[in-house]
Amino acid sequence: MARTTRRAPASPAVRRAARTALALAAVVAAALTTVAPPAAAAAPGTVVSSVAPAPRAARTPVIFVHGYNADPGVWGRMTGDFKAAGYTDAELFTWSYDTHASVNEVLSGRFAAYVDEVRQQTGARRVDIVAHSYGSLPTRWYLKNGGGTAVVGHWVSLGGPNHGTGLAWLCAAWDQACRDMTPGSYVQKGLAAGDETPGDVKYATFWSSCDEFINPHDSVPLNGAVNTPAGCLKHNELLTDGGVSAGVRAFLGR
């Protein structure tokens, strides 16, 4: 039979040392937990999911929607003007989307979901919308057919093809967005039917007599909207002109 070797019991001094080491380890672990940096906060204006709504924003959040073949970067000058006027990053949002997708079948629904996310993040009951060019169409479809009039306070179109543009025929053969922008398209007929500015939303358009992409120029104004001539500006200059920017902010303040 193999012998079993029995260790001598630890001395009182050794036991005290072990207890001290365990206590120190617990203190260090607690300290590390306390001073660990919190999770990184979302960047200003980033839509995040939350179970409970955040505190209501001081101002109505503004969602900027770019136009065809563009991206949110086009709003740099105007959002800078808004921040200089007192808006914060957390009140300004830019929606990025596939500008070659269908207005009514794809984009209006995706925009509706984005509006819901912005309202959840900010706690705001309503949002304001500023759209450039093609961005005017999916946002209008959302207002007219997607229930947007219940949660949108102001809607602004800068050079929007609100009644179509003849230039869109050049790409209509292969691009759905171009087909939606052509005069007389399904989207154009749907948006023009009945009330062009439905609900309690306040509508405004800014149009240019020198717009090289909107043909004819009077495609932009809408019945029931505040329609403002911006002078002789190129299509993309509507995004950077100081007078247009001031006019948009003044309208949103009404």
Side-chain angles (χ1 to χ4, degrees):
M1 181 179 295
R3 290 185 178 181
T4 300
T5 302
R6 300 180 62 183
R7 294 182 179 179
S11 67
V14 171
R15 289 197 296 271
R16 285 195 299 272
R19 286 195 298 270
T20 301
L22 289 172
L24 287 173
V27 170
V28 171
L32 288 174
T33 301
T34 302
V35 301
T46 301
V47 172
V48 296
S49 297
S50 175
V51 175
R56 181 163 298 179
R59 290 182 178 82
T60 300
V62 183
I63 300 176
F64 295 88
V65 182
H66 61 76
Y68 184 73
N69 271 348
D71 59 57
V74 301
W75 294 109
R77 169 65 183 273
M78 189 168 290
T79 55
D81 291 344
F82 270 69
K83 285 186 278 190
Y87 280 79
T88 67
D89 283 327
E91 295 163 341
L92 303 175
F93 297 82
T94 54
W95 184 50
S96 181
Y97 65 101
D98 177 5
T99 65
H100 304 285
S102 167
V103 164
N104 57 310
E105 294 177 347
V106 178
L107 297 181
S108 63
R110 291 180 180 174
F111 182 68
Y114 185 79
V115 170
D116 288 344
E117 291 174 359
V118 170
R119 292 177 60 233
Q120 182 182 37
Q121 174 176 316
T122 60
R125 188 171 64 89
R126 290 181 178 270
V127 300
D128 290 335
I129 298 169
V130 180
H132 179 241
S133 192
Y134 178 61
S136 303
L137 301 186
T139 55
R140 278 185 68 202
W141 195 277
Y142 163 64
L143 288 170
K144 192 174 183 70
N145 302 299
T149 55
V151 296
V152 174
H154 298 77
W155 177 88
V156 180
S157 171
L158 308 179
N162 293 317
H163 297 99
T165 174
L167 197 68
W169 287 114
L170 297 177
C171 52
W174 65 84
D175 190 281
Q176 180 60 50
C178 290
R179 287 192 286 275
D180 290 345
M181 284 190 282
T182 56
S185 69
Y186 174 83
V187 166
Q188 294 295 338
K189 289 179 179 178
L191 291 174
D195 190 354
E196 288 192 327
T197 52
D200 294 329
V201 181
K202 296 179 180 179
Y203 294 83
T205 73
F206 290 77
W207 60 277
S208 167
S209 58
C210 298
D211 193 320
E212 71 275 31
F213 290 113
I214 303 302
N215 180 26
H217 299 142
D218 61 4
S219 171
V220 182
L222 293 170
N223 292 327
V226 177
N227 300 300
T228 304
C232 184
L233 296 174
K234 293 183 182 294
H235 188 63
N236 288 334
E237 288 176 342
L238 290 164
L239 294 161
T240 58
D241 182 75
V244 171
S245 178
V248 171
R249 294 194 308 276
F251 178 75
L252 297 186
R254 296 183 181 182

